[in-house]
Amino acid sequence: MDRRHLLRNSLALGGVLGLGGCAATPAPTAAPAPKPVSSTTPLMDRPPVLAPIRAHADRFFDFKVCLRPFRTKGPNLGVEQVGDAMVVHNYGHGGSGWSLSWGSAEMAVQKALSRSPKEVAVIGSGIIGLTSAITAQRAGAQVTIYTRELLARTRSVRANGSWTPDSRIALTSEAPANFGDTWEQMARISWKNFRPYLGLAGNPIAFTDHYYLTDAPRGTPQPVDPTWPKLPPPSWTGGPTSSEDFARYSDRIKDITAHPQDLPPDVNPFPVKYASRSTSMFFNFTEYGHLLTTEFFARGGKIVMRDFHSPSELGHLPQKVVISCPGFAARDFWQDKAMVPVRGQTGWLIPQPEVNYALTYRNVQILSKSDGIMVMALENGELKGYNNSDESVNRAESERAVKVIEDLFARFPVNRA
Ligand SMILES: Cc1cc2nc3c(=O)[nH]c(=O)nc-3n(C[C@H](O)[C@H](O)[C@H](O)COP(=O)(O)OP(=O)(O)OC[C@H]3O[C@@H](n4cnc5c(N)ncnc54)[C@H](O)[C@@H]3O)c2cc1C
């Protein structure tokens, strides 16, 4: 038996043992004693024993569809006067809203407080609205949120929830020349603001190892699965035609994020030829959302349920400084033609707290969170869902995706013993 086989066995066996003493589990003494692994990879960098994911379509208990509020020119942080009110915009964060929220809030609040208002109104209670409201409170303002939905019903909680600060954030051809600098500032401020939420009960924000598995070496074209649907011909002109058209800035913050490491064959625990690993931050929405909402109320914040139908209504609010965070709804509300919907769907498998990693394989991403194991299909890169505003669930999409992971776990040698 070669070392790699042993490691694969140890992954599956470790997982079974990790599930904790069920009657069918053979006595540990019955298992062959694993031989020490010799490798040039230092012990600290070898993957730990990983629990298997119970990837079966019948374990899906939820599906979520959301529209990323993509703005081809990057987020709008402009200021305009509406009647008596100064409106500061804070919308259009594409696939990066959770990640950039605090930095964007800081910039919007600085503009809002330039008039030294005692009271501030915030429109929207998605992640951008909530962080804007709390940032204004921390700076001493009294804040009222006006919203038609509370956080739990917003598009924000239908996201994936990883640190992805430059996912669908702008088109290279349309982003303002200095947007890279603004983005970097937003990303760095956010990163600092996440720090106090690490290590708290319930892990509102945490780090996880993410394994990237490929059939061909990383960075080379991967075999294409012929069963994936083809991207429809673009129904827009001048829009992106490939992932390369989307602005990318993460190289600017390489100093604060972990770099991917290739796993040599003798420490690659997966039955796939190539594996690399990086460690990244993610958000557990329930716990994190609860902390944010609690802080907002503890600081005397008020929430008024209200649906605005035209910008002129903002001019009649008692607060004369308004931060507008309507997410994708800005396209119609503010008649912002730069807003493009980017549909995304996630399927949720019953939580497995023993699974403490994420993985990406054959265009499927898995992320184990406290409230479920997220399964997301990624085919067509950044273009997936571009200009698609259909928010209905396509169950087949999630079932196809989980089948990829089911097949992956079926390939572990222990299943063929
Ligand atoms: C599938 C998917 C995966 C994603 N993954 C990630 C990720 O991993 N990391 C990441 O950082 N980002 C991710 N995102 C992006 C992120 O979810 C968004 O950028 C973010 O949620 C936008 O938040 P928001 O507060 O601007 O908008 P929303 O959550 O849509 O909130 C808008 C708020 O405004 C209110 N509102 C709107 N119009 C009105 C009105 N007329 N009157 C009153 N109230 C109004 C709404 O009720 C709501 O409260 C993902 C998105 C999707 C779809």
Side-chain angles (χ1 to χ4, degrees), residues 44-123:
M44 64 191 169
D45 289 332
R46 294 180 203 170
V49 171
L50 302 172
I53 298 167
R54 298 170 69 187
H56 304 294
D58 65 359
R59 288 180 63 82
F60 275 128
F61 71 98
D62 193 15
F63 300 92
K64 299 182 190 185
V65 181
C66 149
L67 304 181
R68 295 173 182 88
F70 178 68
R71 191 164 182 271
T72 55
K73 303 171 181 179
N76 186 3
L77 285 161
V79 178
E80 67 181 275
Q81 195 67 29
V82 176
D84 289 347
M86 175 175 89
V87 176
V88 180
H89 295 292
N90 193 9
Y91 67 82
H93 299 78
S96 306
W98 284 88
S99 310
L100 295 176
S101 54
W102 289 108
S104 197
E106 185 91 20
M107 291 176 187
V109 167
Q110 260 182 29
K111 293 180 183 181
L113 298 191
S114 62
R115 289 212 182 155
S116 308
K118 229 175 120 208
E119 294 187 39
V120 170
V122 171
I123 312 304

Side-chain angles (χ1 to χ4, degrees), residues 190-208:
S190 286
W191 189 258
K192 279 270 179 220
N193 272 272
F194 293 136
R195 184 77 183 87
Y197 296 96
L198 290 169
L200 295 183
N203 288 323
I205 299 184
F207 280 94
T208 191

Side-chain angles (χ1 to χ4, degrees), residues 65-69 90-100 123-129 146-151 154-165 283 306-309 325-330 333 342-346 376:
V65 181
C66 149
L67 304 181
R68 295 173 182 88
N90 193 9
Y91 67 82
H93 299 78
S96 306
W98 284 88
S99 310
L100 295 176
I123 312 304
S125 68
I127 190 58
I128 301 294
Y146 296 88
T147 186
R148 67 173 167 225
E149 290 134 345
L150 298 177
L151 180 67
T154 61
R155 290 189 170 117
S156 286
V157 295
R158 291 183 240 148
N160 158 345
S162 307
W163 168 254
T164 56
F283 312 97
R306 182 159 170 188
D307 192 354
F308 295 94
H309 300 286
C325 315
F328 181 69
F333 191 76
V342 184
R343 180 189 188 276
Q345 173 171 310
T346 51
M376 185 161 78

Side-chain angles (χ1 to χ4, degrees), residues 22-23 33 52-53 73 117 139 145 154 232 269 281 315 395:
C22 65
I53 298 167
K73 303 171 181 179
I145 291 179
T154 61
M281 189 189 268
R395 192 182 169 112

